[in-house]
């Protein structure tokens, strides 16, 4: 199935980035599992299928009771990136679709091990400013939690 971008559908994007003071390999090993064990907003994750395989799913339960199922649509070990698409959400979200991507790159000039992490979400065209801003703030919270655990 072609992604929204491949289908030529216009999207709205929320992107945030940060530097984490840990090695790229350490951060990538944590993020590529998509279990979000470091993030207090996540109560638990059920892995459906392989942890490191395209087509694997995660059923993510948040502390507020929201349950979302995501499907891994791309996994690139060489470039340390993973993309996943929202399959279902209870309660339902206010947009038709979203695809998220996390990527990790080495910081090559640094006194300590460090890496550059980017999180972006492509939303369908029905996403409004509130949805996009909420996504950006949640990414920032995720980065703080990741730094607290690994940095």
């Amino acid at each position: 199935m072609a992604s929204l971008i491949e289908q030529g559908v216009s999207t709205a994007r929320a992107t945030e980035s940060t530097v984490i003071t840990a090695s790229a390999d350490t951060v990538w090993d944590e993020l590529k599992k998509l279990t979000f064990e470091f993030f207090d907003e996540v109560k638990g994750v059920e892995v459906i299928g392989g942890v490191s395989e395209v087509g694997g799913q995660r059923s993510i339960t948040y502390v507020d009771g929201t349950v979302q199922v995501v499907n891994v649509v791309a996994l690139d070990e060489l470039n340390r990136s993973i993309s996943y698409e929202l399959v279902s959400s209870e309660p339902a979200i206010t947009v038709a679709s979203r695809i998220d991507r996390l990527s990790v790159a080495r910081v090559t000039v640094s006194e300590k091990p460090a890496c550059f992490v980017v999180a972006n979400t492509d939303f369908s065209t029905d996403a409004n400013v509130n949805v996009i801003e909420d996504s950006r703030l949640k990414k920032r919270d995720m980065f703080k939690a990741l730094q607290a655990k690994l940095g």
Side-chain angles (χ1 to χ4, degrees), residues 2-151:
S3 72
L4 291 174
I5 295 168
E6 292 169 335
Q7 295 172 31
V9 175
S10 177
T11 61
R13 176 174 281 182
T15 300
E16 290 294 320
S17 60
T18 193
V19 173
I20 302 290
T21 53
S23 75
D25 290 335
T26 298
V27 173
W28 174 238
D29 287 344
E30 184 68 36
L31 290 178
K32 72 180 177 182
K33 299 181 295 185
L34 284 183
T35 55
F36 303 101
E37 295 165 344
F38 59 90
F39 197 22
D40 290 340
E41 296 297 315
V42 174
K43 184 176 180 180
V45 176
E46 177 188 358
V47 176
I48 305 161
V51 171
S52 296
E53 72 180 40
V54 172
Q57 293 187 332
R58 309 293 184 275
S59 178
I60 305 166
T61 302
Y62 295 89
V63 294
D64 69 358
T66 300
V67 178
Q68 295 183 328
V69 176
V70 298
N71 184 49
V72 177
V73 295
L75 179 64
D76 184 345
E77 288 284 347
L78 180 64
N79 294 304
R80 293 186 195 90
S81 71
I82 187 165
S83 298
Y84 51 99
E85 184 171 29
L86 183 66
V87 175
S88 66
S89 181
E90 188 57 47
I93 62 172
T94 61
V95 295
S97 66
R98 65 178 285 169
I99 298 175
D100 292 87
R101 180 173 179 262
L102 298 170
S103 62
V104 180
R106 283 188 180 97
V107 171
T108 59
V109 180
S110 177
E111 293 179 18
K112 299 180 185 178
C115 63
F116 185 69
V117 180
V118 178
N120 63 39
T121 304
D122 289 315
F123 293 99
S124 51
T125 57
D126 56 347
N128 64 34
V129 171
N130 292 333
V131 169
I132 295 166
E133 188 62 20
D134 182 61
S135 177
R136 290 182 60 239
L137 294 173
K138 287 178 180 170
K139 287 170 180 34
R140 291 178 183 187
D141 290 344
M142 179 187 68
F143 289 155
K144 287 177 189 172
L146 186 61
Q147 177 65 41
K149 178 179 180 184
L150 301 178

